[in-house]
Structure formats: C-alpha cells, structure tokens
Amino acid sequence: AQSVTQPDIHITVSEGASLELRCNYSYGATPYLFWYVQSPGQGLQLLLKYFSGDTLVQGIKGFEAEFKRSQSSFNLRKPSVHWSDAAEYFCAVVPYNNNDMRFGAGTRLTVKP
Amino acid sequence: DGGITQSPKYLFRKEGQNVTLSCEQNLNHDAMYWYRQDPGQGLRLIYYSQIVNDFQKGDIAEGYSVSREKKESFPLTVTSAQKNPTAFYLCASSIDPGPSYNEQFFGPGTRLTVL
C-alpha cells in the first residue's frame, strides 16, 4: 500500500545537539517530498521541499533534508538544535501525476536545556 | 499581508448541531483544501476545490460539506452526521492543483470541541 511513514513518534534531544528525523515513503515513482513544522495550536509551515535535482535540499531555520532514492527516504536534519525548534514535524508526499498530498503521522520534538 | 485566515480559533458545539468553519485566503490561489488533524494520525483530507464552484471529496468526507462560491472563500460545515467531530481543522491553499505541483500554504486552524 502507498504510505508515508515517520517511524519516530517522539524524539528528545539536548539543545545544541544534532537532529535527524526520519521519513520513508512507498510509492512507485519518486513523489514530490515536503517537510512541514507545526507549533502547538498553529498551522503548518513549510520547511523545505524536493521536486528534482540536487538530492540535498536546504530549507528555512537551518534545516536540510536528503533524498535517497535507494532507501525511499527523505530524512530531515539540523546540525545544532535550538529550544525554539521544539514542535511537531510532518513529512508529506505528493505522488507523481497526482495532486493529493499525503502526510506522515508526525514526529514530536522535545528539546532539553 | 497575504495569507490564509481561519475563524473562529476555538469552537464549541452541542451534539446534533451543524457548525461552519470559515477559511479565507488573499493569495489569489485557485486550489483550497480542508484537513482534519487528530493526535497521532497526521492530517487527513476532507474536501478540496480546484476552482470556483467545483469541489471533490477527500478521504474522510462523510459528515462534512463545503461550498466554493468565491475564489477566496472555502467554508466547511460539520454536520450532525459526523460521528466524532472533535478535532483540529486546517485549511490550506495552493496556486493551482496542476501537474507542476505547488506547495500548500496553511491557515492557523480551528479547534472544534463537541460538548
């Protein structure tokens, strides 16, 4: 079945530590890939997106993501986490030749002082 | 400032009542979407509209209705037929829904609670 999987429901990291949030998808052709961030009680803000080309994508707030076709993954990374990064993160895909955006279940990030 | 507004931010409803959630955008986007968000389930598509006076059901349309009489407005009605309406509702829009996919921009959401 076609799906978007975020294996980690909740991650806790210390401020200043590095971060990697995982996202895997199962679609036949490479979909369009997105990462969104949501602060409590707020809407979603786009961090970055991948359509084609360079597989390492830079986004806002110091985030980056790497598309790996062989692993069907689009993991989000940040070298040094700030307390303000505490939020929920959603991976989303739009299948090729389709306009329906599909979201993962989300990963909640907690940042320890 | 261009953006998407949703009102109200919090909404309380008694069982058996219909309620309408507002979504307005001034981005001149053609496509608009409604999602429902429940804890641990990500976002699920309720309805979407690619153009004025046209809309399609998403994955969980039962118990909901929409209209798209104006480009900038896409209100969602939660009817009494919706069995479990308590959730966070998000509205989004994109430039157009065509093959060159455009990102979706989200409103701040409306939290609906059924008492």
Side-chain angles (χ1 to χ4, degrees):
Chain A
Q2 297 180 331
S3 66
V4 184
T5 303
Q6 293 181 247
D8 305 304
I9 296 173
H10 184 205
I11 284 183
T12 300
V13 300
S14 298
E15 190 167 16
S18 64
L19 171 70
E20 183 169 29
L21 302 181
R22 297 182 290 164
C23 175
N24 294 95
Y25 62 89
S26 59
Y27 290 87
T30 299
Y32 302 119
L33 299 159
F34 304 80
W35 275 100
Y36 283 88
V37 62
Q38 184 183 34
S39 297
Q42 301 297 317
L44 275 67
Q45 180 183 22
L46 181 70
L47 287 174
L48 46 77
K49 59 190 176 187
Y50 174 78
F51 286 2
S52 64
D54 192 345
T55 57
L56 186 61
V57 181
Q58 301 298 319
I60 63 171
K61 303 186 181 189
F63 285 92
E64 65 179 26
E66 185 172 13
F67 167 60
K68 292 186 177 180
R69 186 189 307 274
S70 62
Q71 298 178 18
S72 296
S73 69
F74 188 55
N75 293 350
L76 182 71
R77 301 194 295 244
K78 187 169 185 178
S80 178
V81 169
H82 188 262
W83 64 266
S84 61
D85 293 325
E88 185 136 23
Y89 292 80
F90 291 94
C91 179
V93 308
V94 175
Y96 185 73
N97 278 342
N98 187 309
N99 293 322
D100 290 343
M101 181 172 268
R102 300 291 171 175
F103 289 84
T107 297
R108 184 162 61 92
L109 173 65
T110 297
V111 180
K112 293 190 302 184
Chain B
D1 284 337
I4 302 175
T5 57
Q6 291 185 242
S7 62
K9 188 169 179 64
Y10 299 97
L11 186 57
F12 298 89
R13 179 194 105 172
K14 293 182 180 178
E15 281 193 29
Q17 287 182 334
N18 293 354
V19 289
T20 298
L21 282 60
S22 169
C23 177
E24 303 276 332
Q25 54 99 358
N26 61 4
L27 300 168
N28 200 33
H29 286 176
D30 284 324
M32 297 187 74
Y33 312 81
W34 272 107
Y35 292 93
R36 172 182 170 136
Q37 185 178 21
D38 296 282
Q41 294 194 44
L43 279 68
R44 294 180 290 169
L45 183 65
I46 304 173
Y47 268 98
Y48 65 99
S49 169
Q50 298 180 341
I51 197 169
V52 174
N53 292 323
D54 183 57
F55 47 83
Q56 285 80 40
K57 293 181 179 180
D59 297 325
I60 56 166
E62 185 175 351
Y64 300 97
S65 66
V66 294
S67 63
R68 187 87 186 277
E69 298 176 0
K70 298 186 296 182
K71 186 175 185 177
E72 58 270 23
S73 178
F74 191 41
L76 173 74
T77 297
V78 184
T79 75
S80 56
Q82 169 49 234
K83 297 282 187 273
N84 184 22
T86 294
F88 191 54
Y89 291 87
L90 286 160
C91 179
S93 70
S94 61
I95 294 175
D96 65 62
S100 177
Y101 186 80
N102 296 282
E103 68 189 74
Q104 292 184 18
F105 294 80
F106 284 82
T110 292
R111 183 164 298 281
L112 172 64
T113 302
V114 174
L115 303 173

